[in-house]
Amino acid sequence: MATNVGDRTHVGGTGRNVVALLAFVAVSAVAGGIGNLLQGDDVGSRYLALDRPAWAPPQEAFGIVWPVLYLLIGLAAWLVWRQAGSVAAARVALSLWAAQLVVNAIWPGVFFGAGWFWPAVAVIAVLDVLVVATIAAFGRHRRLAAALLVPYLAWLLYATALNVAIAAAN
């Protein structure tokens, strides 16, 4: 049951909200886990063996940045769900969220798993567009949810530039 309090909609009780929050964060993390599986083994060594620009992050940065981003991605979706009162009320926004998670999971398999650097540029460009669309859709439900995705978009744009540089150099 949804109730309006001021400009916020609150769905169900505290227990249902906590379960939903954990579910949204878990779905985000699963997307990351699938991406890790698709990228194959020894990705750190393969990353270090690539010709990379001087501004490329150290490989350790990925293990720090991505868990935080997946947490923010899940939290943002939960805020939209909670504000809308149901998945149906936020169908477009949450569909975009799910679509970008699918593409997010595919990219590592294309870039690292297959070593197809230029096709990976196309995949990450689609991801960039989907995340921009998700931010716009989330903003129509809850500005904070949209704002939580901005660091993700910033990292993706950096990763897109890095992907292009690596494709050009390798």
Side-chain angles (χ1 to χ4, degrees):
M1 169 182 229
T3 58
N4 284 330
V5 178
D7 66 343
R8 294 190 181 149
T9 301
H10 298 279
V11 180
T14 302
R16 182 169 182 229
N17 281 316
V18 169
V19 169
L21 172 60
L22 294 175
F24 281 112
V25 171
V27 168
S28 297
V30 166
I34 291 169
N36 283 340
L37 290 174
L38 294 176
Q39 72 187 4
D41 295 329
D42 203 24
V43 73
S45 296
R46 288 186 284 136
Y47 175 73
L48 292 176
L50 295 171
D51 286 332
R52 293 170 284 122
W55 45 269
Q59 74 180 63
E60 297 82 16
F62 299 102
I64 297 167
V65 170
W66 277 110
V68 172
L69 293 177
Y70 286 124
L71 177 63
L72 293 176
I73 293 165
L75 177 59
W78 174 74
L79 287 171
V80 167
W81 168 81
R82 192 166 178 240
Q83 181 70 32
S86 70
V87 171
R91 184 175 317 269
V92 171
L94 293 176
S95 294
L96 286 165
W97 174 78
Q100 66 79 27
L101 282 177
V102 169
V103 176
N104 176 300
I106 291 169
W107 182 86
V110 177
F111 186 89
F112 286 112
W116 298 338
F117 303 135
W118 285 113
V121 171
V123 173
I124 202 167
V126 169
L127 180 57
D128 294 340
V129 170
L130 284 169
V131 172
V132 168
T134 303
I135 289 170
F138 276 23
R140 287 190 283 278
H141 290 277
R142 183 88 188 263
R143 286 186 184 166
L144 177 57
L148 289 174
L149 294 181
V150 171
Y152 176 40
L153 178 61
W155 183 259
L156 286 177
L157 294 174
Y158 174 59
T160 301
L162 182 60
N163 191 154
V164 169
I166 289 172
N170 293 277

